[in-house]
Amino acid sequence: MKLIIAAIKPFKLEEVREALTAIGVRGMMVTEIKGFGSQSGHTEIYRGAEYAVNFVPKVKLEIVVSAAMADQVMETIAATAKTDKIGDGKIFVLDVGQAVRVRTGETNDNAL
């Protein structure tokens, strides 16, 4: 099993969710986050005053899938979230040692 963590632009969330549902992803966790990467924030003008925005709003997706499906999920997120502009996000893939569905007690791949 693999845990896929993706930080994407918030307006891309629904499009990514639809694309992942279409390839068979059955669930995900979504968290609103703030952060910065290469873009290191930016400046904005509000009511005539310029100020620095050091942390940019993002959405973090956490998805656990079978190892066989991980590459397809990663490619789907990357293709769907891409805008060709700085700040499109990042995707990380980690190994998952164990999973349990609380309601039924099913474990590992069966719990997904």
Side-chain angles (χ1 to χ4, degrees):
M1 292 177 299
K2 300 289 184 178
L3 169 62
I4 299 172
I5 301 171
I8 63 171
K9 291 182 176 183
F11 70 89
K12 284 292 197 171
L13 175 60
E14 188 58 27
E15 190 178 342
V16 169
R17 186 198 62 78
E18 289 172 4
L20 290 173
T21 301
I23 65 166
V25 172
R26 296 183 354 180
M28 71 176 72
M29 294 176 279
V30 178
T31 310
E32 292 181 9
I33 61 171
K34 291 182 181 182
F36 71 91
S38 350
Q39 66 195 104
S40 300
H42 60 281
T43 59
E44 289 186 2
I45 296 176
Y46 180 70
R47 294 189 176 180
E50 186 174 335
Y51 65 98
V53 177
N54 294 322
F55 295 99
V56 180
K58 301 282 184 192
V59 173
K60 179 171 77 169
L61 309 177
E62 295 174 89
I63 307 159
V64 179
V65 296
S66 65
M69 199 175 179
D71 286 340
Q72 183 183 14
V73 170
M74 191 173 61
E75 290 164 7
T76 300
I77 295 169
T80 309
K82 185 176 183 175
T83 66
D84 285 324
K85 294 189 170 66
I86 194 164
D88 274 352
K90 295 268 194 302
I91 302 171
F92 305 100
V93 181
L94 293 83
D95 289 324
V96 173
Q98 190 173 5
V100 176
R101 184 185 309 264
V102 174
R103 180 178 54 86
T104 63
E106 294 169 290
T107 59
N108 300 328
D109 282 339
N110 294 329
L112 303 180

